[in-house]
Amino acid sequence: MGDVSSKIPTIGRVATARDVSRGLRLFSENFITRAILGFLLRRDERKRTYIEHLLSLYRGDSAKAPLAARLIYPLFSMYMDAILKKFGVRKSEFLEMLDMPYSRKIIANLLKGFKLFGVRIPFTSGAPILVVWDFTYRCNLKCKHCYASAGILLPEMTVEERLRALDIMVDAGVAMLALSGGEPLLGPGFWEVLKRGKDYGLYLAMATNGTLITDDVAERLAKNGLIYAQVSLDSPTPEFHDEFRGVAGAWEKTIRGIKNLKKHGIMVEVSMTITKKNYQMIPRMLEFVRNELKADLLMAFNYIPVGRGRDIIEWDMSPEERWEALTWLSKELYDGFPAASTAPQYAVVAYEYGVAKGYNPKIAGHFYTIGMRSSRFGSMLEFLGGCGAGRVYLALEPNGDIYPCVFLRKKIGNILEDDFEDLWRTNRFLEELRNRDLLKGECGTCKYKYVCGGCRARAYNYFGDHLASDPGCIYAKKSWECALKLIIGQK
């Protein structure tokens, strides 16, 4: 999928994505390597792959590894040295990355992706690296934009079924789990699932409104393995946030929740859904999050007209407004504070900002920000590939239904009724999302389609077509004009 050797001439790199693909194929698509990968992707009784053991050895850990892993380690070490050299990545940087608790599972997942799908641009992982699990429909707020229309009681999995769903995901190779909602703390089995996820060594996160996180709850979350909390906060003062979230006093409780999480050593991402009504608060919000809350990250969530969010469709930002918002975030990113966005265009804005300022460019995505000093930066940018819906990420509903993304509410199966791994490998809808050459309109002809790809959920919710252009981009003016007609027609 996708020869992008001439798509982004401004990057000025030594290696094109075609070069990287050719190099990876030399390593990952010959018979011997595939046979070795097949063996090393086997799991032990703790659901840990042999590759994870080998990466521990490669890092220099002294923990005892299985005999088979120790025997094959010299060959594996040579293989990894060659891969890093081919990418132009410093070994010291790679070893530093392995310090992260979930990184070895992610690498095992990536290698499984090479085995299952070969080398694609952008890359497809061997299983979802991340699953966002809308753990319950229950919620104590009434947010105007809620994609799940939470607060309505609907059928959900039992506690036993939730634990079975977790086992299925871990067996497939899922490395990161984010419990969301609704308000996940209100979901039956929350603590049981969190504890088992910790036992499996998953990177555990949650998306919460923060209002229920007392000091005792934050302490219990930390003890049960929660690493990362995404807490919704839409303004630096109470008025807008409380009105947007539908409950007076919510802002104060959320601030308290953030402080309790930080007290107990949990990383805090403040998530701000940006619309016409509040995007100009971003500079003040950045200062508030960085200096007063001492949070670890600000995430600007892309508005998407789904669920109750369709009722405020006129709040959607124009492409120019979105670019202005993402530029503020880019400036903050290069100034040293982790500012991110779920808008896939952020990869483009942050890259262009860095080039214009003469900085070392950064790969800015939803779940990562990488500053690459390698000459192969452009290849990495295209390889990671922007929107990850159905490509490195899936969404799970409280009843077990599976969607490509929490905002792209197209059911592709059910985790208790269908073969999870087979869905990932063969589902046609997912395969279409992964293939940027199928994109239509401005996204289909854009030089950045392998870097960004547009938000497939916005395309689907505006036009009913997951392959249409994302109307939230300055490179998609015609699509925005069509979206405006829909907005005007709805209102």
Side-chain angles (χ1 to χ4, degrees):
M1 295 183 183
D3 175 10
V4 297
S5 59
S6 61
K7 296 297 183 183
I8 310 180
T10 59
I11 285 181
R13 57 194 186 276
V14 174
T16 65
R18 180 193 293 176
D19 297 329
V20 173
S21 297
R22 187 182 299 117
L24 283 170
R25 287 191 181 100
L26 292 175
F27 292 105
S28 65
E29 295 188 358
N30 67 71
F31 173 78
I32 296 175
T33 300
R34 290 179 66 83
I36 292 172
L37 286 176
F39 172 74
L40 295 179
L41 286 168
R42 294 181 181 179
R43 297 183 179 275
D44 62 18
E45 65 279 0
R46 296 178 60 193
K47 299 187 183 295
R48 190 179 183 191
T49 63
Y50 280 93
I51 286 176
E52 291 171 65
H53 287 294
L54 286 166
L55 289 169
S56 295
L57 292 171
Y58 192 67
R59 182 179 174 272
D61 291 348
S62 58
K64 186 176 180 180
L67 176 61
R70 285 182 277 129
L71 289 174
I72 204 170
Y73 175 70
L75 178 62
F76 179 82
S77 179
M78 292 174 57
Y79 176 88
M80 289 305 305
D81 288 345
I83 284 283
L84 296 178
K85 182 178 179 180
K86 188 67 183 178
F87 269 114
V89 176
R90 295 176 183 174
K91 186 173 180 178
S92 59
E93 294 175 350
F94 181 73
L95 293 178
E96 182 180 352
M97 182 186 68
L98 291 181
D99 287 340
M100 293 184 286
Y102 57 93
S103 58
R104 298 165 205 175
K105 286 185 178 295
I106 291 177
I107 291 170
N109 191 318
L110 298 179
L111 293 175
K112 182 179 179 181
F114 290 139
K115 181 176 184 292
L116 290 179
F117 301 111
V119 180
R120 292 179 172 184
I121 301 170
F123 178 73
T124 300
S125 55
I129 292 174
L130 168 71
V131 171
V132 174
W133 187 350
D134 284 348
F135 201 72
T136 183
Y137 298 112
R138 305 175 190 196
C139 193
N140 59 325
L141 299 186
K142 303 172 184 177
C143 306
K144 291 182 181 295
H145 67 304
C146 182
Y147 62 80
S149 300
I152 301 173
L153 293 182
L154 295 170
E156 300 183 0
M157 289 184 283
T158 65
V159 175
E160 291 74 19
E161 289 171 334
R162 293 174 202 255
L163 292 171
R164 178 183 160 204
L166 176 63
D167 288 346
I168 290 169
M169 289 186 280
V170 173
D171 284 336
V174 172
M176 304 172 69
L177 183 66
L179 301 177
S180 185
E183 172 51 51
L185 287 167
L186 297 174
F190 173 85
W191 296 105
E192 291 90 335
V193 167
L194 193 66
K195 183 181 183 303
R196 185 173 291 190
K198 176 187 177 184
D199 292 342
Y200 286 149
L202 296 180
Y203 186 93
L204 294 170
M206 69 181 295
T208 173
N209 59 48
T211 62
L212 302 178
I213 300 180
T214 62
D215 183 73
D216 288 343
V217 169
E219 182 179 20
R220 189 178 179 189
L221 288 169
K223 287 181 178 178
N224 281 276
L226 190 75
I227 298 169
Y228 190 100
Q230 171 194 302
V231 185
S232 300
L233 189 70
D234 300 295
S235 62
T237 55
E239 293 77 17
F240 178 82
H241 177 85
D242 287 358
E243 192 269 338
F244 191 53
R245 297 286 166 175
V247 174
W251 189 90
E252 293 287 351
K253 292 179 180 178
T254 296
I255 297 300
R256 180 199 64 187
I258 290 172
K259 292 179 179 179
N260 286 332
L261 290 164
K262 290 295 296 178
K263 175 183 175 182
H264 291 282
I266 295 170
M267 291 180 62
V268 174
E269 168 207 308
V270 172
S271 64
M272 175 188 187
T273 299
I274 53 174
T275 68
K276 279 183 181 293
K277 300 288 187 177
N278 71 335
Y279 85 95
Q280 290 185 332
M281 298 180 190
I282 287 177
R284 283 190 294 139
M285 190 68 170
L286 283 163
E287 182 179 358
F288 180 68
V289 168
R290 179 183 64 245
N291 297 333
E292 295 191 38
L293 294 181
K294 308 294 185 183
D296 299 280
L297 170 74
L298 175 69
M299 177 72 74
F301 265 71
N302 211 11
Y303 164 79
I304 299 172
V306 61
R308 285 201 294 266
R310 291 205 71 88
D311 296 335
I312 57 168
I313 195 169
E314 74 278 8
W315 289 23
D316 196 4
M317 294 182 291
S318 69
E320 291 78 12
E321 290 167 335
R322 182 170 281 100
W323 235 248
E324 183 179 14
L326 296 178
T327 300
W328 281 325
L329 296 171
S330 298
K331 180 182 184 302
E332 190 75 13
L333 179 66
Y334 283 96
D335 284 345
F337 182 73
S341 178
T342 61
Q345 293 88 357
Y346 188 43
V348 176
V349 177
Y351 164 73
E352 290 184 339
Y353 183 89
V355 170
K357 296 293 184 179
Y359 298 148
N360 168 43
K362 293 181 183 289
I363 302 175
H366 185 173
F367 308 114
Y368 53 82
T369 298
I370 308 171
M372 295 296 290
R373 289 181 288 276
S374 168
S375 62
R376 303 177 192 273
F377 172 84
S379 302
M380 289 294 294
L381 196 63
E382 293 156 341
F383 194 67
L384 292 171
C387 179
R391 185 174 61 84
V392 295
Y393 149 67
L394 279 181
L396 181 64
E397 285 291 285
N399 65 357
D401 287 347
I402 301 168
Y403 296 154
C405 169
V406 294
F407 299 105
L408 205 173
R409 303 184 77 74
K410 166 75 173 177
K411 180 181 174 180
I412 62 167
N414 185 285
I415 197 165
L416 300 179
E417 299 170 0
D418 299 293
D419 186 316
F420 185 70
E421 294 194 65
D422 186 62
L423 281 174
W424 183 256
R425 288 194 303 266
T426 65
N427 182 267
R428 180 176 178 180
F429 194 86
L430 297 184
E431 279 293 283
E432 290 176 349
L433 288 172
R434 296 163 182 167
N435 189 348
R436 298 287 167 81
D437 294 328
L438 297 179
L439 295 179
K440 304 171 185 177
E442 298 98 329
C443 282
T445 58
C446 182
K447 66 180 181 180
Y448 288 122
K449 73 176 179 180
Y450 298 100
V451 172
C452 166
C455 175
R456 298 297 93 219
R458 283 178 56 85
Y460 185 77
N461 285 291
Y462 266 113
F463 305 122
D465 184 352
H466 57 294
L467 300 175
S469 284
D470 175 357
C473 179
I474 61 171
Y475 297 117
K477 294 293 185 65
K478 290 185 179 178
S479 291
W480 174 243
E481 291 172 2
C482 292
L484 277 177
K485 293 178 182 177
L486 293 173
I487 292 171
I488 294 171
Q490 182 162 322
K491 291 296 177 180

